[in-house]
Amino acid sequence: MKDLILVRYGELALKGNNRGGFENRLLQNIRQKLAPFSGVSVRKSFGRIYVDPGDNPISPLMEAVSEVFGVVGISPAKRVEAEMQTILKAAVQLVKGQQRMPQTFKVVAKRANKAFPYNSQTINQKVGSEVLKEVAGIRVDVHDPELELRVEVRGKEAYLYGENIPGPGGLPVGTAGRVMLMLSGGIDSPVAGYLALKRGASLEAVHFHSYPFTSERSRQKVEDLTRLLTRFGGKIHLHVIPFTTIQTQIRERCKDSYQITIMRRMMVRIAERMAHIRNAPALVTGESLGQVASQTLESMSVINDVTRMPVLRPLVGMDKQEIMNIAKQIGTYETSILPYEDCCTVFQPKSPVTRPKLDLSRELESRLDMETLLEEAVHGAERISFNPDQLKKEFSYF
């Protein structure tokens, strides 16, 4: 008898001829997530993924796998020989081993191996009878049991499990291409990055830093947020853009109420260029419709005017409380609310325009040394690479 972890996945099963590629990527991602644990093996069989913990305790492995997108459920399981007496013994051990002894149960058997001499209904009856005989005080409830004891007979082996820990769902990271996240130090953009990862996109991030108007602690905050996202997305490159010269020139030459609009247009231009360099065909932002002046429909339209690249807004229909709830769930909230201002808040005008005009935005931008500013920003970018299993960050420059 061997204790292991059974991993289930849902949406991947609907991918038709592409299913194998999604499954293999999920397998790869789980192996990468468990790489810090020695002696662990991961294999796929019969629409399931099995994690053999080796000499490791199961709990930390299950916690790690529960952060892998594409996983819909995780269960501690017992693997035994596909022989009835062995299955009955394992079933009793599994029930008695529950942290809280259930008062009611039912058995759900599945016989994938049709050569096994007992059909599913007979397995249900035999296992149920054995549990009733060996476990005092328990009874059967087929409608609303405290424990659903599952038995799967596959090949020469049988797998038994009861507890089911929900996974995050979604698609395996890396199956939907690469996106460039516009990452500020606020609550919203890390959540947008998390949701992009959940739909299978691999993630890179671009951050605009206006030193000395924004402090090094502000930059450190963004680095910490990037590191937190590696829990769900693996290695992430953060591109830090020097934005001081651009913001200074906007402040000197552009109408006060339009400064946020012009600044956002410049940010999108730079993010698009970085995305082309990094082979990312889409941008991701943390914008939520109507939340601030730059996130009205009119503002979004004027800002989108500068790019032909898709701009994904996973939070567009969420209110602030919904976004905060996800931030708390994924562990970014406490870092996001640290009181270190980013370049948007430092240069916030008293009365930003909520319905900017495209023609006026373009006219104001004509006062800037546009191409020089963009080239200097892109060539001045600093790339920092974060790995989930490394405390130190790796630096590189263009």
Side-chain angles (χ1 to χ4, degrees):
M1 186 180 304
K2 175 68 176 178
D3 289 337
L4 45 73
I5 300 169
L6 184 147
V7 180
R8 292 180 298 283
Y9 46 91
E11 189 174 349
L12 276 62
L14 305 176
K15 294 301 179 181
N17 294 335
N18 297 319
R19 174 176 173 172
F22 282 83
E23 291 176 333
N24 291 335
R25 187 60 190 234
L26 178 59
L27 200 68
Q28 176 185 332
N29 291 351
I30 293 174
R31 285 173 176 154
Q32 289 177 347
K33 187 70 174 180
L34 298 179
F37 302 91
S38 61
V40 176
S41 65
V42 184
R43 65 183 178 87
K44 174 171 68 76
S45 177
F46 300 108
R48 296 280 191 266
I49 291 176
Y50 302 99
V51 178
D52 188 327
D55 295 328
N56 298 281
I58 279 183
S59 292
L61 298 180
M62 292 185 63
E63 182 178 353
V65 175
S66 71
E67 296 176 344
V68 178
F69 287 122
V71 173
V72 299
I74 310 144
S75 297
K78 293 185 179 296
R79 180 180 67 201
V80 298
E81 178 186 357
E83 190 274 325
M84 183 54 75
Q85 290 304 313
T86 306
I87 292 172
L88 296 178
K89 181 179 178 181
V92 172
Q93 287 188 1
L94 191 150
V95 174
K96 288 183 174 180
Q98 297 297 301
Q99 289 186 349
R100 178 181 174 275
M101 182 59 64
Q103 299 298 305
T104 59
F105 82 106
K106 78 171 181 178
V107 181
V108 181
K110 181 178 181 180
R111 185 185 64 157
N113 175 15
K114 301 307 179 185
F116 190 69
Y118 303 96
N119 63 25
S120 298
Q121 186 59 35
T122 303
I123 298 171
N124 286 341
Q125 294 169 350
K126 286 184 173 292
V127 172
S129 297
E130 187 72 9
V131 171
L132 287 171
K133 183 177 72 173
E134 298 294 332
V135 181
I138 200 168
R139 59 186 175 83
V140 173
D141 183 343
V142 297
H143 300 294
D144 187 25
E146 292 182 35
L147 173 67
E148 191 170 270
L149 173 56
R150 292 188 170 269
V151 181
E152 297 183 3
V153 181
R154 298 176 176 274
K156 297 180 179 180
E157 297 175 331
Y159 300 86
L160 296 88
Y161 58 97
E163 182 182 6
N164 178 35
I165 298 172
L171 296 174
V173 173
T175 57
R178 182 180 297 170
V179 296
M180 184 67 69
L181 170 67
M182 297 176 68
L183 181 63
S184 71
I187 296 171
D188 300 344
S189 56
V191 175
Y194 169 84
L195 293 176
L197 290 168
K198 186 172 184 177
R199 295 312 303 160
S202 59
L203 195 68
E204 297 205 9
V206 58
H207 174 68
F208 300 90
H209 186 57
S210 295
Y211 183 82
F213 302 117
T214 51
S215 68
E216 285 302 314
R217 288 182 297 181
S218 172
R219 170 174 165 153
Q220 182 61 53
K221 177 180 170 181
V222 173
E223 292 182 8
D224 291 342
L225 289 169
T226 306
R227 187 179 287 107
L228 288 170
L229 287 174
T230 66
R231 288 173 49 206
F232 310 100
K235 187 172 185 176
I236 296 176
H237 299 299
L238 171 66
H239 307 277
V240 180
I241 307 295
F243 205 59
T244 307
T245 302
I246 293 174
Q247 282 200 290
T248 301
Q249 200 169 121
I250 291 173
R251 197 173 193 179
E252 292 172 350
R253 302 184 184 183
C254 295
K255 187 177 180 179
D256 181 75
S257 61
Y258 269 73
Q259 286 178 8
I260 289 294
T261 301
I262 304 303
M263 183 184 70
R264 293 289 297 175
R265 283 166 62 90
M266 293 295 284
M267 286 179 171
V268 169
R269 286 186 175 99
I270 294 167
E272 180 186 52
R273 294 192 182 197
M274 297 301 300
H276 283 306
I277 291 170
R278 299 298 301 164
N279 193 30
L283 306 179
V284 175
T285 78
E287 293 167 301
S288 173
L289 185 60
Q291 190 175 121
V292 295
S294 64
Q295 295 175 20
T296 64
L297 282 177
E298 293 87 350
S299 289
M300 288 181 182
S301 177
V302 168
I303 292 166
N304 269 27
D305 170 66
V306 302
T307 181
R308 297 183 65 184
M309 184 172 282
V311 180
L312 309 181
R313 296 178 171 91
L315 314 184
V316 70
M318 294 186 185
D319 62 34
K320 196 65 177 184
Q321 189 59 54
E322 291 173 306
I323 298 167
M324 288 168 59
N325 289 343
I326 297 175
K328 291 173 183 178
Q329 172 194 333
I330 66 177
T332 58
Y333 179 78
E334 293 299 329
T335 301
S336 291
I337 62 173
L338 291 173
Y340 308 133
E341 295 179 313
D342 60 26
C343 60
C344 293
T345 53
V346 168
F347 284 85
Q348 182 77 26
K350 291 182 179 179
S351 300
V353 62
T354 58
R355 291 180 171 82
K357 304 299 182 184
L358 180 57
D359 289 345
L360 180 53
S361 299
R362 291 173 174 173
E363 191 278 323
L364 291 170
E365 282 180 343
S366 68
R367 305 173 187 179
L368 306 177
D369 300 325
M370 180 70 69
E371 195 57 37
T372 299
L373 291 172
L374 293 175
E375 285 296 314
E376 288 179 353
V378 170
H379 287 291
E382 177 185 350
R383 187 174 74 194
I384 314 169
S385 301
F386 294 91
N387 286 287
D389 56 344
Q390 291 179 340
L391 294 178
K392 294 182 179 180
K393 53 193 177 184
E394 304 168 4
F395 291 90
S396 58
Y397 298 85
F398 288 107

